[in-house]
Amino acid sequence: MRPATWLIHAGQGGGEPQAFTTVAPPVQRASTLLLPDAAALYDRAGPTYGRQGLATHAALTEALCALEGAEHVELYGSGLAALSGAMLAVLNAGDHVLVADGVYGPTRRFCDVTLRRFSIAVDYFPVRASAEQVLALARPATRLIVMESPASLTFEVQDAPAVAAAARERGILTLLDNTYAAGQLFRPLEHGVDLSVQALTKYVGGHADTFMGSVAVRDPALAARLRAMSAEAGWATSPDDAWLILRGLRTLDVRLARHGENGLAVARWLEGRPEVARVLHPALASSPDRALFSRLFSAPCGLFGVVLKPAARASVDSFLNALRLFGLGFSWGGFESLAIAADRQLKRTAEPWRGEGPLLRLHVGLEDPADLTADLDQAFAALAPV
Ligand SMILES: *Cc1c(COP(=O)(O)O)cnc(C)c1O
C-alpha cells in the first residue's frame, strides 16, 4: 500500500476494544459504523449509524433506565428538547393537551407557539388542581396531560400519581417534568406516569457544563414512538456530552443529599428574616404542600423560592448585586449556589400568582450553609424595604 492509503487504514481497528477494562466507558465517537458483512448493512436489530447512539450513549441510557425504573430512555440535546421531543412524538394535529400552569417557561412557550401552529389545542390548569379538577377539563380530543411538580419558581406540589391514575382510566397519557427530583427523589414511572422527563443538564450533569435531556418510559409502544420520532427528525446527542452526564450520575446520590440538607438549612434561616414574607419550599413545616411532598418525595433538592416583603425592583437588584457567594445566573443543579429575581418569568394564566412582594429563586450549592447565610445576611443590608 502507498502512503495515502495506509494513512487512512492504519490503526483503524483501534486495538482490541475488549482488551482494556476501564471504570468509565470509552467515549465512542462515530458517524460511520463499520458493519461486519453486507447482510448487517440492513439489519435493523442493532445500530447501523452513529446518530442512533453508540457505546457511550448505551452506557448512559442503561444507567438512566436503572435510575428511573424504565424500560427505555431516549436522550435529547437539552432538557427542553426532551420535553418538546416527547410531545412531538405522541401528539397529532387536532389533539388537545392539558398543561400545568406552573411549568418551566420555555415548555409553555413551546405549547403556545409550536403546538398551536400544528393545530394542537392547549389549556392550562391551576398548579394545585386535584385529579378531578384536571380531568374535568378533558375533552374527547385530550391526548396528553403535562405536569411539573413542584412547579417551576413557586414550588407548589401536585398529586401526580392521582392525576396519572385518573388520566389512564380515560386513555389520556401523562408526562411529568421531573427535573427537580433528578429521577431520584420522586420516581414518576412507579406512580403511573407514562413519560418521565428531566433536564440532565441540572443535577445529573451536576457541574453546570453540559446540556442533555431524557425521556424515560415503560410502555414498549411509547418507546418505539420516541425512537421513531428521533430517527424521523434526525435528533442526536454528542458522545462527549453523554460521557459527562454519566460521570455526573455517579455522584448524584451524595450531591443531592447535601444540596437538600444545605437548602433546608438556608430556607429555615430565611424564614426567620424580617425582609422575608414567605419561603416557598415544600419540605418546610410552613408549606401547605408538606404532607403531600413527604408522601411522594424522599427528600428535597437545593432549589426553592423566596417571597420578599414589598421592595422596589432597584432595591432587589442591589441585594442581588451585593451577593458574593451566590452567582447570578440561570439554570441550577450544579455544585454552586445561584440566585435570580423570578417575577419576570412568571406567566400564569389559569390562576394568577399572588405574592406579597418580589419573588427570588435560590439554588443552594455544596458550600457550607453558614457561609451562604452570612452572604445573604450582608447582602440584605443593601435591600431597603418600602
Ligand atoms: C432547566 C429546565 C429545563 C430545560 O433544561 P435545558 O437542558 O436547560 O433545556 C426543563 N425543565 C425544568 C424544570 C428546568 O428547570
Side-chain angles (χ1 to χ4, degrees), residues 49-53 57 61 72-78 81-90 195 213-217 221-237:
Y49 196 42
R51 200 165 51 210
Q52 294 154 287
H57 298 89
T61 53
H72 175 74
V73 167
E74 191 72 18
L75 298 174
Y76 299 83
S78 70
L83 288 154
S84 62
M87 288 191 247
L88 289 174
V90 301
L195 300 132
S214 61
V215 181
V217 296
L222 274 181
R225 190 58 217 122
L226 292 173
R227 257 197 222 102
M229 182 70 231
S230 294
E232 289 152 20
W235 296 328
T237 55

Short mmCIF file of all heavy atoms in Angstrom, two decimals, residues 49-53 57 61 72-78 81-90 195 213-217 221-237:
data_model
loop_
_atom_site.label_atom_id
_atom_site.label_comp_id
_atom_site.label_asym_id
_atom_site.label_seq_id
_atom_site.Cartn_x
_atom_site.Cartn_y
_atom_site.Cartn_z
N TYR A 49 -25.78 3.27 12.33
CA TYR A 49 -25.30 4.62 12.05
C TYR A 49 -25.12 5.33 13.38
O TYR A 49 -25.91 5.12 14.32
CB TYR A 49 -26.35 5.34 11.18
CG TYR A 49 -25.85 6.60 10.50
CD1 TYR A 49 -24.60 6.65 9.91
CD2 TYR A 49 -26.65 7.74 10.46
CE1 TYR A 49 -24.15 7.80 9.29
CE2 TYR A 49 -26.21 8.90 9.84
CZ TYR A 49 -24.96 8.92 9.25
OH TYR A 49 -24.51 10.07 8.64
N GLY A 50 -24.08 6.18 13.48
CA GLY A 50 -23.74 6.80 14.75
C GLY A 50 -24.82 7.69 15.34
O GLY A 50 -24.84 7.91 16.56
N ARG A 51 -25.70 8.21 14.51
CA ARG A 51 -26.75 9.09 15.02
C ARG A 51 -27.64 8.38 16.04
O ARG A 51 -28.24 9.01 16.90
CB ARG A 51 -27.59 9.61 13.84
CG ARG A 51 -28.37 10.87 14.16
CD ARG A 51 -28.89 11.55 12.91
NE ARG A 51 -29.61 10.62 12.07
CZ ARG A 51 -29.71 10.70 10.74
NH1 ARG A 51 -29.10 11.68 10.09
NH2 ARG A 51 -30.38 9.82 10.06
N GLN A 52 -27.73 7.07 15.92
CA GLN A 52 -28.57 6.30 16.84
C GLN A 52 -27.94 6.16 18.23
O GLN A 52 -28.58 5.69 19.16
CB GLN A 52 -28.85 4.91 16.25
CG GLN A 52 -29.69 4.98 14.97
CD GLN A 52 -29.45 3.78 14.05
OE1 GLN A 52 -28.41 3.68 13.40
NE2 GLN A 52 -30.40 2.88 14.01
N GLY A 53 -26.69 6.58 18.38
CA GLY A 53 -26.02 6.48 19.67
C GLY A 53 -25.18 5.21 19.75
O GLY A 53 -25.60 4.16 19.28
N HIS A 57 -23.43 6.28 24.74
CA HIS A 57 -24.87 6.51 24.92
C HIS A 57 -25.54 5.29 25.55
O HIS A 57 -26.42 5.43 26.39
CB HIS A 57 -25.54 6.79 23.58
CG HIS A 57 -25.02 8.02 22.90
ND1 HIS A 57 -23.95 7.99 22.05
CD2 HIS A 57 -25.43 9.30 22.96
CE1 HIS A 57 -23.71 9.21 21.60
NE2 HIS A 57 -24.60 10.03 22.14
N THR A 61 -27.75 5.37 28.88
CA THR A 61 -29.18 5.05 28.91
C THR A 61 -29.44 3.82 29.80
O THR A 61 -30.48 3.76 30.47
CB THR A 61 -29.77 4.82 27.50
OG1 THR A 61 -28.99 3.86 26.83
CG2 THR A 61 -29.80 6.10 26.70
N HIS A 72 -37.04 2.00 28.69
CA HIS A 72 -36.34 2.71 27.62
C HIS A 72 -36.12 4.15 28.02
O HIS A 72 -37.00 4.78 28.60
CB HIS A 72 -37.15 2.65 26.32
CG HIS A 72 -36.53 3.46 25.21
ND1 HIS A 72 -35.40 3.05 24.53
CD2 HIS A 72 -36.86 4.67 24.69
CE1 HIS A 72 -35.08 3.98 23.63
NE2 HIS A 72 -35.94 4.97 23.70
N VAL A 73 -34.95 4.68 27.69
CA VAL A 73 -34.66 6.10 27.88
C VAL A 73 -34.19 6.67 26.55
O VAL A 73 -33.27 6.12 25.93
CB VAL A 73 -33.59 6.32 28.98
CG1 VAL A 73 -33.06 7.76 28.95
CG2 VAL A 73 -34.18 6.03 30.37
N GLU A 74 -34.84 7.74 26.12
CA GLU A 74 -34.43 8.43 24.90
C GLU A 74 -33.68 9.70 25.31
O GLU A 74 -34.14 10.43 26.21
CB GLU A 74 -35.70 8.78 24.09
CG GLU A 74 -35.46 9.27 22.68
CD GLU A 74 -35.00 8.18 21.71
OE1 GLU A 74 -35.15 6.98 21.99
OE2 GLU A 74 -34.45 8.57 20.66
N LEU A 75 -32.52 9.94 24.69
CA LEU A 75 -31.71 11.11 25.02
C LEU A 75 -31.95 12.24 24.02
O LEU A 75 -32.19 11.98 22.83
CB LEU A 75 -30.22 10.75 25.01
CG LEU A 75 -29.77 9.69 26.01
CD1 LEU A 75 -28.29 9.33 25.76
CD2 LEU A 75 -29.97 10.18 27.45
N TYR A 76 -31.86 13.48 24.51
CA TYR A 76 -32.06 14.67 23.67
C TYR A 76 -30.96 15.68 23.99
O TYR A 76 -30.34 15.60 25.03
CB TYR A 76 -33.44 15.29 23.94
CG TYR A 76 -34.59 14.34 23.62
CD1 TYR A 76 -34.99 13.39 24.56
CD2 TYR A 76 -35.24 14.38 22.40
CE1 TYR A 76 -36.02 12.51 24.28
CE2 TYR A 76 -36.28 13.51 22.11
CZ TYR A 76 -36.67 12.57 23.05
OH TYR A 76 -37.68 11.70 22.77
N GLY A 77 -30.80 16.65 23.11
CA GLY A 77 -29.71 17.62 23.25
C GLY A 77 -29.85 18.59 24.41
O GLY A 77 -28.88 19.24 24.79
N SER A 78 -31.04 18.70 25.01
CA SER A 78 -31.24 19.55 26.19
C SER A 78 -32.50 19.08 26.89
O SER A 78 -33.26 18.27 26.34
CB SER A 78 -31.39 21.03 25.79
OG SER A 78 -32.63 21.23 25.13
N ALA A 81 -35.41 20.20 24.80
CA ALA A 81 -35.57 19.33 23.63
C ALA A 81 -36.24 18.00 24.01
O ALA A 81 -37.00 17.43 23.22
CB ALA A 81 -34.22 19.07 22.97
N ALA A 82 -35.98 17.51 25.22
CA ALA A 82 -36.64 16.28 25.68
C ALA A 82 -38.14 16.51 25.85
O ALA A 82 -38.96 15.69 25.45
CB ALA A 82 -36.02 15.80 26.99
N LEU A 83 -38.50 17.67 26.42
CA LEU A 83 -39.92 18.00 26.62
C LEU A 83 -40.63 18.16 25.27
O LEU A 83 -41.69 17.56 25.04
CB LEU A 83 -40.05 19.28 27.44
CG LEU A 83 -39.67 19.12 28.92
CD1 LEU A 83 -39.21 20.43 29.53
CD2 LEU A 83 -40.86 18.55 29.69
N SER A 84 -40.04 18.96 24.38
CA SER A 84 -40.68 19.17 23.08
C SER A 84 -40.65 17.89 22.26
O SER A 84 -41.63 17.56 21.57
CB SER A 84 -40.02 20.33 22.33
OG SER A 84 -38.67 20.05 22.06
N GLY A 85 -39.55 17.15 22.36
CA GLY A 85 -39.44 15.90 21.60
C GLY A 85 -40.47 14.87 22.01
O GLY A 85 -41.08 14.20 21.16
N ALA A 86 -40.71 14.76 23.32
CA ALA A 86 -41.70 13.80 23.79
C ALA A 86 -43.09 14.19 23.30
O ALA A 86 -43.89 13.34 22.88
CB ALA A 86 -41.67 13.73 25.32
N MET A 87 -43.38 15.50 23.35
CA MET A 87 -44.71 15.94 22.90
C MET A 87 -44.88 15.73 21.40
O MET A 87 -45.93 15.24 20.95
CB MET A 87 -44.92 17.41 23.28
CG MET A 87 -45.13 17.59 24.78
SD MET A 87 -45.70 19.25 25.19
CE MET A 87 -44.30 19.87 26.08
N LEU A 88 -43.86 16.05 20.62
CA LEU A 88 -43.96 15.84 19.17
C LEU A 88 -44.11 14.35 18.85
O LEU A 88 -44.75 13.98 17.85
CB LEU A 88 -42.73 16.41 18.45
CG LEU A 88 -42.64 17.93 18.42
CD1 LEU A 88 -41.31 18.38 17.83
CD2 LEU A 88 -43.80 18.55 17.63
N ALA A 89 -43.53 13.50 19.68
CA ALA A 89 -43.60 12.06 19.41
C ALA A 89 -45.01 11.51 19.61
O ALA A 89 -45.41 10.58 18.90
CB ALA A 89 -42.60 11.32 20.30
N VAL A 90 -45.76 12.07 20.56
CA VAL A 90 -47.05 11.43 20.89
C VAL A 90 -48.27 12.21 20.40
O VAL A 90 -49.38 11.68 20.44
CB VAL A 90 -47.19 11.15 22.41
CG1 VAL A 90 -46.07 10.25 22.89
CG2 VAL A 90 -47.23 12.44 23.23
N LEU A 195 -44.65 9.28 30.80
CA LEU A 195 -43.40 9.83 30.26
C LEU A 195 -42.72 10.66 31.36
O LEU A 195 -43.24 11.70 31.78
CB LEU A 195 -43.69 10.72 29.05
CG LEU A 195 -44.38 10.01 27.87
CD1 LEU A 195 -45.57 10.84 27.38
CD2 LEU A 195 -43.41 9.75 26.74
N GLY A 213 -31.04 16.06 27.87
CA GLY A 213 -32.35 15.76 28.45
C GLY A 213 -32.70 14.32 28.19
O GLY A 213 -32.14 13.67 27.30
N SER A 214 -33.64 13.79 29.01
CA SER A 214 -34.04 12.40 28.82
C SER A 214 -35.54 12.24 28.97
O SER A 214 -36.19 13.00 29.70
CB SER A 214 -33.33 11.49 29.82
OG SER A 214 -33.67 11.85 31.14
N VAL A 215 -36.08 11.25 28.27
CA VAL A 215 -37.46 10.83 28.45
C VAL A 215 -37.43 9.34 28.76
O VAL A 215 -36.87 8.55 27.99
CB VAL A 215 -38.31 11.08 27.19
CG1 VAL A 215 -39.75 10.64 27.42
CG2 VAL A 215 -38.27 12.55 26.80
N ALA A 216 -37.98 8.96 29.92
CA ALA A 216 -37.98 7.57 30.35
C ALA A 216 -39.40 7.01 30.28
O ALA A 216 -40.35 7.69 30.68
CB ALA A 216 -37.46 7.47 31.78
N VAL A 217 -39.53 5.80 29.74
CA VAL A 217 -40.85 5.17 29.60
C VAL A 217 -40.76 3.68 29.93
O VAL A 217 -39.68 3.10 29.90
CB VAL A 217 -41.42 5.34 28.17
CG1 VAL A 217 -41.69 6.80 27.83
CG2 VAL A 217 -40.51 4.71 27.12
N ALA A 221 -44.64 0.43 23.26
CA ALA A 221 -45.17 1.20 22.12
C ALA A 221 -44.72 2.66 22.22
O ALA A 221 -44.36 3.28 21.20
CB ALA A 221 -46.70 1.12 22.09
N LEU A 222 -44.70 3.20 23.44
CA LEU A 222 -44.21 4.58 23.61
C LEU A 222 -42.72 4.66 23.31
O LEU A 222 -42.25 5.61 22.69
CB LEU A 222 -44.46 5.06 25.05
CG LEU A 222 -45.82 5.68 25.37
CD1 LEU A 222 -45.86 6.10 26.84
CD2 LEU A 222 -46.09 6.88 24.47
N ALA A 223 -41.98 3.64 23.75
CA ALA A 223 -40.54 3.60 23.48
C ALA A 223 -40.29 3.61 21.97
O ALA A 223 -39.45 4.36 21.46
CB ALA A 223 -39.92 2.36 24.12
N ALA A 224 -41.04 2.80 21.24
CA ALA A 224 -40.88 2.72 19.79
C ALA A 224 -41.22 4.06 19.14
O ALA A 224 -40.55 4.51 18.21
CB ALA A 224 -41.76 1.61 19.23
N ARG A 225 -42.25 4.72 19.67
CA ARG A 225 -42.67 6.02 19.11
C ARG A 225 -41.59 7.09 19.33
O ARG A 225 -41.30 7.90 18.44
CB ARG A 225 -44.01 6.41 19.75
CG ARG A 225 -44.72 7.55 19.15
CD ARG A 225 -45.04 7.37 17.66
NE ARG A 225 -44.91 8.65 16.99
CZ ARG A 225 -44.10 8.92 15.97
NH1 ARG A 225 -43.37 7.98 15.41
NH2 ARG A 225 -44.02 10.12 15.48
N LEU A 226 -40.98 7.09 20.54
CA LEU A 226 -39.92 8.06 20.83
C LEU A 226 -38.72 7.83 19.92
O LEU A 226 -38.15 8.76 19.35
CB LEU A 226 -39.48 7.94 22.29
CG LEU A 226 -40.48 8.36 23.37
CD1 LEU A 226 -39.93 8.01 24.76
CD2 LEU A 226 -40.80 9.85 23.29
N ARG A 227 -38.34 6.56 19.79
CA ARG A 227 -37.20 6.21 18.92
C ARG A 227 -37.47 6.63 17.48
O ARG A 227 -36.62 7.20 16.82
CB ARG A 227 -36.99 4.69 18.94
CG ARG A 227 -35.84 4.25 19.78
CD ARG A 227 -35.47 2.81 19.40
NE ARG A 227 -35.20 2.07 20.60
CZ ARG A 227 -36.04 1.22 21.16
NH1 ARG A 227 -37.21 0.93 20.61
NH2 ARG A 227 -35.72 0.61 22.27
N ALA A 228 -38.68 6.31 17.01
CA ALA A 228 -39.03 6.63 15.62
C ALA A 228 -39.01 8.13 15.39
O ALA A 228 -38.49 8.61 14.39
CB ALA A 228 -40.39 6.04 15.28
N MET A 229 -39.56 8.91 16.35
CA MET A 229 -39.59 10.38 16.18
C MET A 229 -38.18 10.92 16.08
O MET A 229 -37.89 11.78 15.23
CB MET A 229 -40.35 11.01 17.35
CG MET A 229 -40.50 12.52 17.26
SD MET A 229 -41.61 13.06 15.94
CE MET A 229 -40.58 14.27 15.11
N SER A 230 -37.28 10.43 16.95
CA SER A 230 -35.88 10.91 16.90
C SER A 230 -35.24 10.57 15.56
O SER A 230 -34.50 11.39 14.99
CB SER A 230 -35.06 10.29 18.02
OG SER A 230 -35.52 10.74 19.27
N ALA A 231 -35.54 9.36 15.04
CA ALA A 231 -34.98 8.95 13.75
C ALA A 231 -35.56 9.81 12.62
O ALA A 231 -34.83 10.26 11.73
CB ALA A 231 -35.26 7.47 13.50
N GLU A 232 -36.88 10.06 12.69
CA GLU A 232 -37.53 10.86 11.64
C GLU A 232 -36.98 12.28 11.62
O GLU A 232 -36.75 12.87 10.56
CB GLU A 232 -39.05 10.92 11.90
CG GLU A 232 -39.76 9.59 11.64
CD GLU A 232 -41.03 9.42 12.48
OE1 GLU A 232 -41.58 10.42 12.97
OE2 GLU A 232 -41.46 8.25 12.65
N ALA A 233 -36.75 12.85 12.82
CA ALA A 233 -36.31 14.24 12.90
C ALA A 233 -34.79 14.38 12.81
O ALA A 233 -34.29 15.47 12.57
CB ALA A 233 -36.81 14.87 14.21
N GLY A 234 -34.06 13.30 13.03
CA GLY A 234 -32.60 13.37 12.95
C GLY A 234 -31.94 13.89 14.21
O GLY A 234 -30.83 14.42 14.17
N TRP A 235 -32.62 13.74 15.35
CA TRP A 235 -32.05 14.22 16.62
C TRP A 235 -30.94 13.29 17.09
O TRP A 235 -31.09 12.06 17.05
CB TRP A 235 -33.15 14.29 17.68
CG TRP A 235 -34.23 15.28 17.36
CD1 TRP A 235 -34.08 16.45 16.66
CD2 TRP A 235 -35.61 15.19 17.70
NE1 TRP A 235 -35.29 17.09 16.57
CE2 TRP A 235 -36.25 16.36 17.19
CE3 TRP A 235 -36.39 14.26 18.39
CZ2 TRP A 235 -37.61 16.60 17.36
CZ3 TRP A 235 -37.74 14.51 18.56
CH2 TRP A 235 -38.34 15.67 18.05
N ALA A 236 -29.86 13.87 17.55
CA ALA A 236 -28.75 13.06 18.05
C ALA A 236 -28.03 13.84 19.15
O ALA A 236 -28.15 15.06 19.23
CB ALA A 236 -27.78 12.75 16.92
N THR A 237 -27.32 13.14 20.02
CA THR A 237 -26.55 13.80 21.07
C THR A 237 -25.09 13.40 20.97
O THR A 237 -24.76 12.34 20.44
CB THR A 237 -27.07 13.42 22.47
OG1 THR A 237 -27.06 12.01 22.59
CG2 THR A 237 -28.48 13.94 22.71
#
